[in-house]
Amino acid sequence: MTVTIRPTDRLDIVAVAELIEEIERFYGSTEIQPLEERHPQVEEALFGSPPLASALLVKDGTGNLVGLAAYSFLWPAAGSSHSLFLKELYVRDTLRRQGVGARLMDELRALAVARSGCSRVEWMRDRDNPNARAFYKSLGFAEFDGKIVYRVDTNTG
């Protein structure tokens, strides 16, 4: 299957908001935010001033959104450089194991190389996701065991 990978534009906001529901269900969420709430949040995140994130989209031959890679640049990384942090890599199950995820990783690496001062690409994955671990291993990426992730919810009443 032929796919196109490109940056998001404003015409993609609704499709991205819809894909986020699929991503949430993939991770097991049962409380799905209504589309009318997701839509303005996606718009603000990707096109606010300044944008909070960027995304590469995967479109199939018929123009349907079938995957994305959401990322941000973070500072500092090594020394005073910055890094491209991959927050989400998602490919619809009908296209998995067809090289689409690998192409997204190649595109992300190219974005990082092209950006002056960007020293690395970083991401996390769930420990209990053997498919993700196998995918990244197949691309030659080593697991880094040096960090523990902390999280605090800001919506606690």
Side-chain angles (χ1 to χ4, degrees):
M1 170 173 279
T2 302
V3 298
T4 303
I5 298 175
R6 63 166 177 76
T8 53
D9 64 38
R10 287 187 177 272
L11 297 175
D12 300 311
I13 292 170
V14 172
V16 171
E18 290 170 350
L19 187 65
I20 287 173
E21 179 176 339
E22 183 177 324
I23 293 169
E24 288 294 307
R25 290 187 191 286
F26 174 80
Y27 287 116
S29 181
T30 57
E31 294 184 29
I32 304 299
Q33 179 186 38
L35 180 62
E36 60 272 7
E37 290 178 18
R38 251 180 289 130
H39 180 274
Q41 288 176 340
V42 168
E43 184 171 17
E44 177 67 21
L46 296 175
F47 300 103
S49 182
L52 301 174
S54 298
L56 294 175
L57 301 182
V58 180
K59 298 258 182 148
D60 66 15
T62 61
N64 292 317
L65 181 59
V66 294
L68 69 76
Y71 63 94
S72 300
F73 287 96
L74 301 179
W75 178 84
S80 62
S81 69
H82 58 277
S83 66
L84 184 154
F85 184 81
L86 171 62
K87 175 58 178 95
E88 184 66 52
L89 180 78
Y90 182 80
V91 176
R92 189 164 277 157
D93 61 350
T94 56
L95 290 177
R96 289 188 196 133
R97 293 174 184 77
Q98 296 185 37
V100 177
R103 283 186 53 200
L104 278 168
M105 292 302 294
D106 287 345
E107 291 287 333
L108 291 165
R109 184 182 272 168
L111 286 170
V113 167
R115 184 165 172 132
S116 178
C118 187
S119 62
R120 58 178 71 148
V121 177
E122 300 177 293
W123 64 95
M124 296 183 290
R125 51 105 194 107
D126 292 330
R127 290 187 192 279
D128 63 350
N129 187 339
N131 292 334
R133 293 177 84 169
F135 168 70
Y136 294 124
K137 185 176 180 179
S138 76
L139 297 177
F141 301 131
E143 292 185 0
F144 178 76
D145 227 6
K147 302 283 182 189
I148 298 172
V149 177
Y150 293 89
R151 180 179 298 150
V152 64
D153 188 356
T154 61
N155 299 321
T156 57

